[in-house]
Amino acid sequence: MKQTSERIRRIIEDSSLHLCLECGKCSASCPRLVAGRQYSPRLVAQKLMFHPEDAAYINNAVWECLTCGICEERCPSGVQFCRFILEMREALAEEQGLLGYRAHDGALHSWMRIMTAPELSQNRLEWLTPDLKVAQRGEVAFFTGCSPYFDVFFNNIQVDTLSLARDSIRLLNRLGREPVLLGNERCCGHDLLWTGDRENFETLCRLNYQEFRDHGVKEVITSCPECYLVLSQYLPKAVPESRLKVTLLIDLLAAEAQAGRITFKPLERRATYQDPCRLGRMAGRYEEPRGLMAKVPGLELKEMEFSRQGALCCGNSSFVNCDAFSKRIQVERLRQAQATGADLLVTACPKCLIHTTCAMRDPVKGGSLAMEVRGLVNILADQME
Amino acid sequence: MSPVNLLGIACNWSPYCCYNAAGQAGLELPPSFRLMRVMCIGRINQALILRAFEHGADGVIVLECEDADCRYGPGPEVGHNNVARVRKLLRFLGIGQERLVEKTFLADQKEELVRVLWDFHRRIEALGPNPAKARQERVAS
């Protein structure tokens, strides 16, 4: 990358990289740098603009980012750093075949790519129990996401991601809704998008859109922040004819709870809340989850030292770069959670659930990080009246 | 009918001994069978098996030592766990769990190895190609 190509120039322009003042607020707040990693968002921006010949640094640094978005929150100039990382990864993957260091040896990305085969006929609904009411046809579908797959893949850390799907349906049934569940829904493609695999990401978008269209689905409800982000913001760009309405389950629940159509039994617990990056900083939902927790009588919410816009990442995103520095971030986050005096950690993203649980299971820490961690929908479904 | 693509993942010790002995004895192996030798089946993770299917394998057979024979300790048990989980994932994906099998061998079972491979070959041939195969031309990940 001795000379800045036209493509890179466009990425710099589109993400407003040239507005950088070199104030360094991004680097000072970057969880990876704070955890001790030699990585600086400020430096990668400067290198790309003024020293593009240092390709070794740039190519590595682009894959270091967690895309948690805290740098964008802190940046006084409005540099779109996450967009910059996303587009650079696409360029590096396409032009140089770079894929970054993928966690779990890329197994999750493998099954996501396998799902791009159009003739695949999945058996992804085996987890449905008879008490869950779902419809065969209808205009509203529930998007399960990768929960059934995570449930198998991560069964060694005892994390129940399927309970998120079951409890979401339970809540929808309580609201009198019976969503359609699509037996051949694909992964939303979030992790492929954020690791530079645009081609396969768009294939997944098209296949999902066809699946919705073929079943007459006009609205999709999801409880996963990543699926919500992709289906509402990125799918319409990949499939321009899409007119899909995408609803986040907690938005729906917040509105119904506000109107008094759903109430909750008391739960005498002290809890703290982990803001998922895709739900908070990328979708702006800070108050909705807190408002729902406040509707559960007796449930006391204690905020962590870093919360809302300043929330600390769960340590990993899109299953790249899970390393010792991810672990340090997770340990720091769990220590913050413990410092609140809470005995229950609530989150709203399956991946936060997986990563915090994984860090707690670290045998070296001897269980000192352990605390109960549950999804927001788990709590709400258990307490609904 | 196009020949099926079979991948064997073999531990270097007992199963590879059998494979080597079968080759020396001139025993015929199924066409399109490829072997990947690893030092211990405990080295294999879920990703390696899934990747074989991502890149168009029609069947994968994991060839292990008996539990008590492992030169390193828990190798075959790690193998059992990984195979069990990937079989479930393959069922969910619609590729079919029967496309992934594991077999254990003692070092002197060359005829048994050849019989198992032919048996596996016939079963996969009857199943037809891996439905995820259309993307096999994709760049190696």
Side-chain angles (χ1 to χ4, degrees):
Chain A
M1 208 191 292
K2 284 206 172 56
Q3 273 192 323
T4 307
S5 70
E6 186 49 44
R7 181 172 189 175
I8 302 293
R9 252 195 286 273
R10 186 175 292 277
I11 293 173
I12 291 173
E13 199 176 304
D14 288 349
S15 51
S16 311
L17 219 58
H18 51 270
L19 297 181
C20 174
L21 303 169
E22 285 206 72
C23 70
K25 284 195 168 75
C26 50
S27 299
S29 57
C30 175
R32 265 180 99 68
L33 187 78
V34 173
R37 183 71 168 167
Q38 289 290 305
Y39 163 69
S40 156
R42 180 195 64 83
L43 194 57
V44 63
Q46 293 302 312
K47 288 262 191 199
L48 190 68
M49 286 187 290
F50 305 116
H51 299 286
E53 70 279 2
D54 196 352
Y57 181 88
I58 296 165
N59 292 358
N60 271 320
V62 162
W63 294 96
E64 284 281 342
C65 178
L66 295 167
T67 70
C68 76
I70 197 162
C71 52
E72 279 193 29
E73 203 61 54
R74 298 273 194 264
C75 178
S77 307
V79 172
Q80 296 178 55
F81 200 79
C82 290
R83 176 179 178 167
F84 160 69
I85 291 292
L86 189 152
E87 292 181 5
M88 279 300 288
R89 284 181 182 175
E90 264 174 34
L92 293 179
E94 206 179 296
E95 291 168 10
Q96 299 182 42
L98 299 181
L99 293 161
Y101 170 70
R102 291 167 305 159
H104 307 291
D105 207 2
L108 298 96
H109 305 89
S110 258
W111 83 53
M112 290 164 193
R113 288 197 186 93
I114 286 174
M115 286 188 204
T116 60
E119 47 287 290
L120 216 56
S121 174
Q122 298 175 76
N123 304 300
R124 51 150 53 235
L125 298 179
E126 290 176 4
W127 51 273
L128 272 174
T129 46
D131 60 313
L132 302 172
K133 294 197 246 345
V134 296
Q136 294 302 318
R137 276 195 81 83
E139 293 193 351
V140 183
F142 177 74
F143 196 82
T144 316
C146 284
S147 291
Y149 292 89
F150 290 153
D151 188 62
V152 173
F153 192 81
F154 292 111
N155 78 352
N156 60 327
I157 59 165
Q158 294 96 43
V159 55
D160 190 2
T161 49
L162 265 180
S163 68
L164 299 172
R166 290 198 185 100
D167 284 344
S168 297
I169 306 230
R170 233 168 244 142
L171 285 160
L172 284 169
N173 288 167
R174 166 67 185 75
L175 296 173
R177 295 175 181 230
E178 291 180 17
V180 176
L181 258 76
L182 301 170
N184 230 354
E185 158 199 315
R186 279 9 190 229
C187 164
C188 71
H190 175 278
D191 295 355
L192 294 184
L193 173 72
W194 288 91
T195 50
D197 191 349
R198 169 66 72 172
E199 184 195 346
N200 286 311
F201 167 72
E202 291 191 349
T203 305
L204 289 176
C205 285
R206 279 193 298 275
L207 290 170
N208 270 329
Y209 176 71
Q210 281 166 18
E211 188 75 5
F212 298 143
R213 197 192 50 198
D214 294 348
H215 287 80
V217 170
K218 298 205 164 64
E219 181 184 359
V220 175
I221 301 174
T222 177
S223 63
C224 171
E226 295 190 344
C227 297
Y228 174 72
L229 185 77
V230 167
L231 296 176
S232 64
Q233 292 185 28
Y234 292 95
L235 184 138
K237 287 180 200 155
V239 188
E241 67 271 29
S242 167
R243 298 286 175 271
L244 195 69
K245 182 182 173 197
V246 185
T247 305
L248 196 53
L249 181 63
I250 59 161
D251 284 353
L252 183 67
L253 289 169
E256 296 281 318
Q258 197 59 42
R261 284 192 286 270
I262 181 167
T263 52
F264 302 98
K265 290 180 287 196
L267 179 67
E268 299 293 338
R269 294 288 291 269
R270 181 182 281 188
T272 187
Y273 175 69
Q274 158 73 2
D275 284 277
C277 55
R278 267 54 181 160
L279 188 68
R281 285 186 287 262
M282 289 197 182
R285 305 300 200 284
Y286 300 108
E287 299 314 321
E288 290 80 353
R290 289 176 170 79
L292 280 166
M293 286 172 76
K295 295 276 182 199
V296 180
L299 185 63
E300 184 189 354
L301 176 64
K302 301 290 277 184
E303 293 288 356
M304 283 187 259
E305 186 184 353
F306 299 156
S307 66
R308 289 191 167 84
Q309 284 84 348
L312 192 58
C313 174
C314 71
N316 195 253
S317 170
S318 311
F319 294 106
V320 276
N321 289 325
C322 185
D323 57 11
F325 301 97
S326 288
K327 178 56 76 64
R328 283 192 200 174
I329 298 167
Q330 290 161 347
V331 169
E332 166 63 18
R333 194 52 169 165
L334 291 172
R335 295 255 185 261
Q336 287 185 3
Q338 287 177 332
T340 62
D343 61 355
L344 175 63
L345 174 60
V346 181
T347 184
C349 175
K351 290 193 183 163
C352 291
L353 201 65
I354 291 166
H355 295 142
T356 51
T357 306
C358 175
M360 284 178 203
R361 302 268 188 264
D362 185 348
V364 180
K365 299 285 178 205
S368 67
L369 297 172
M371 75 190 289
E372 191 182 349
V373 50
R374 302 198 72 198
L376 180 58
V377 290
N378 297 143
I379 307 259
L380 296 177
D382 280 357
Q383 300 311 118
M384 69 187 178
E385 289 181 313
Chain B
M1 186 195 286
S2 62
V4 287
N5 272 319
L6 302 181
L7 177 71
I9 303 174
C11 166
N12 176 62
W13 301 99
S14 301
Y16 195 77
C17 260
C18 300
Y19 182 75
N20 205 19
Q24 283 176 342
L27 302 179
E28 197 191 354
L29 293 174
S32 307
F33 173 76
R34 279 186 260 181
L35 191 84
M36 185 170 87
R37 176 165 61 151
V38 291
M39 284 310 287
C40 173
I41 227 66
R43 187 258 173 269
I44 293 297
N45 57 23
Q46 297 181 74
L48 280 165
I49 305 173
L50 275 173
R51 203 170 301 159
F53 288 101
E54 180 194 344
H55 291 290
D58 297 306
V60 174
I61 183 163
V62 178
L63 310 165
E64 307 164 335
C65 296
E66 301 266 357
D67 286 10
D69 291 351
C70 181
R71 270 68 169 173
Y72 308 96
E77 289 157 51
V78 172
H80 307 327
N81 278 336
N82 283 332
V83 167
R85 284 195 260 168
V86 176
R87 278 168 65 87
K88 277 190 197 165
L89 293 174
L90 293 174
R91 192 178 76 228
F92 288 171
L93 284 165
I95 288 176
Q97 58 184 347
E98 56 281 17
R99 290 182 189 274
L100 172 62
V101 298
E102 58 174 338
K103 288 282 176 197
T104 56
F105 295 92
L106 297 170
D108 60 352
Q109 291 183 310
K110 63 175 187 293
E111 289 87 3
E112 174 67 2
L113 176 91
V114 172
R115 192 192 64 72
V116 163
L117 291 181
W118 274 106
D119 185 41
F120 185 55
H121 172 82
R122 278 188 291 271
R123 278 163 53 197
I124 299 298
E125 221 173 27
L127 283 173
N130 162 8
K133 210 176 175 120
R135 308 294 298 164
Q136 79 188 79
E137 70 283 0
R138 227 166 8 221
V139 185
S141 60

